[in-house]
Amino acid sequence: MSSRDRDPLILGRVVGDVLDNFTRTIPMRITYSNKDVNNGRELKPSEVLNQPRVEIGGDDLRTFYTLVMVDPDAPSPSDPSLREYLHWLVTDIPATTGASFGQGIVNYESPRPTMGIHRFVFVLFRQLGRQTVYAPGWRQNFRTRDFSELYNLGPPVAAVYFNCQRENGSGGRPFRR
């Protein structure tokens, strides 16, 4: 097996459903109340109520990033007719800082899946410079690929996802690494 075959973003079908294959070039750490978001980790809705802390690496302080958070499994993994549901959009995040230093375009909406196990995907893009990004008029049927193309962002530089289901949810197959 090659390392590509073991890539959790490929195994979890994030690459394919949300993104094309890309090379990670920037470290990104996302935490909810001291719980790191790792690919395939299960987090409960009560653990993701509040906007997470996002730390972005990089070394050029003149570089800015855009962060997108989507649910590709809305309203349910068996019928993702609202794919992708936009939960959060932040632009103009300076390198070596976090999302709180950026410009909030779409406010954080906490995950509240009602059916099945949902993947929640954070995608980080490098911007060409500071730019005006407009909030889409809706959250459902957002397309990360189309958004990237519209604003000339290129491929992602980092991505991570977690799984979430109803607080007392059971059943369904989680996406694991």
Side-chain angles (χ1 to χ4, degrees):
M1 273 181 113
S2 71
S3 62
R4 181 179 153 80
D5 295 332
R6 292 187 303 270
D7 184 327
L9 294 174
I10 293 173
L11 294 174
R13 295 198 331 257
V14 170
V15 169
D17 287 351
V18 179
L19 303 170
D20 295 324
N21 206 10
F22 70 97
T23 301
R24 287 162 210 60
T25 56
I26 297 293
M28 175 174 68
R29 182 176 182 213
I30 298 176
T31 53
Y32 283 99
S33 301
N34 299 321
K35 290 189 178 197
D36 282 336
V37 172
N38 300 314
N39 287 315
R41 181 173 189 168
E42 182 85 28
L43 293 171
K44 295 180 180 349
S46 60
E47 296 174 311
V48 296
L49 279 175
N50 299 315
Q51 179 177 306
R53 178 183 169 103
V54 179
E55 299 170 43
I56 297 168
D59 49 17
D60 184 350
L61 299 179
R62 295 165 301 184
T63 302
F64 295 91
Y65 296 92
T66 292
L67 179 71
V68 174
M69 178 188 177
V70 295
D71 174 0
D73 301 315
S76 74
S78 60
D79 180 25
S81 59
L82 301 180
R83 171 181 293 169
E84 301 156 29
Y85 188 89
L86 179 63
H87 278 266
W88 197 24
L89 175 57
V90 183
T91 64
D92 293 334
I93 305 166
T96 74
T97 67
S100 60
F101 293 89
Q103 175 70 41
I105 304 297
V106 174
N107 290 334
Y108 179 79
E109 182 179 311
S110 62
R112 293 184 298 273
T114 56
M115 294 185 301
I117 298 171
H118 291 239
R119 297 164 292 166
F120 290 88
V121 183
F122 294 92
V123 185
L124 188 68
F125 295 97
R126 177 182 285 115
Q127 296 174 200
L128 295 175
R130 282 188 180 263
Q131 62 191 84
T132 301
V133 172
Y134 297 99
W138 56 88
R139 288 179 184 256
Q140 68 275 9
N141 298 120
F142 180 84
R143 298 273 188 263
T144 301
R145 287 180 183 99
D146 293 350
F147 174 80
S148 170
E149 191 174 313
L150 176 65
Y151 290 104
N152 200 24
L153 295 172
V157 294
V160 67
Y161 80 100
F162 68 91
N163 294 318
C164 189
Q165 62 181 314
R166 275 191 351 253
E167 202 68 36
N168 57 358
S170 62
R173 190 180 124 267
F175 292 96
R176 297 232 183 261
R177 18 183 169 153

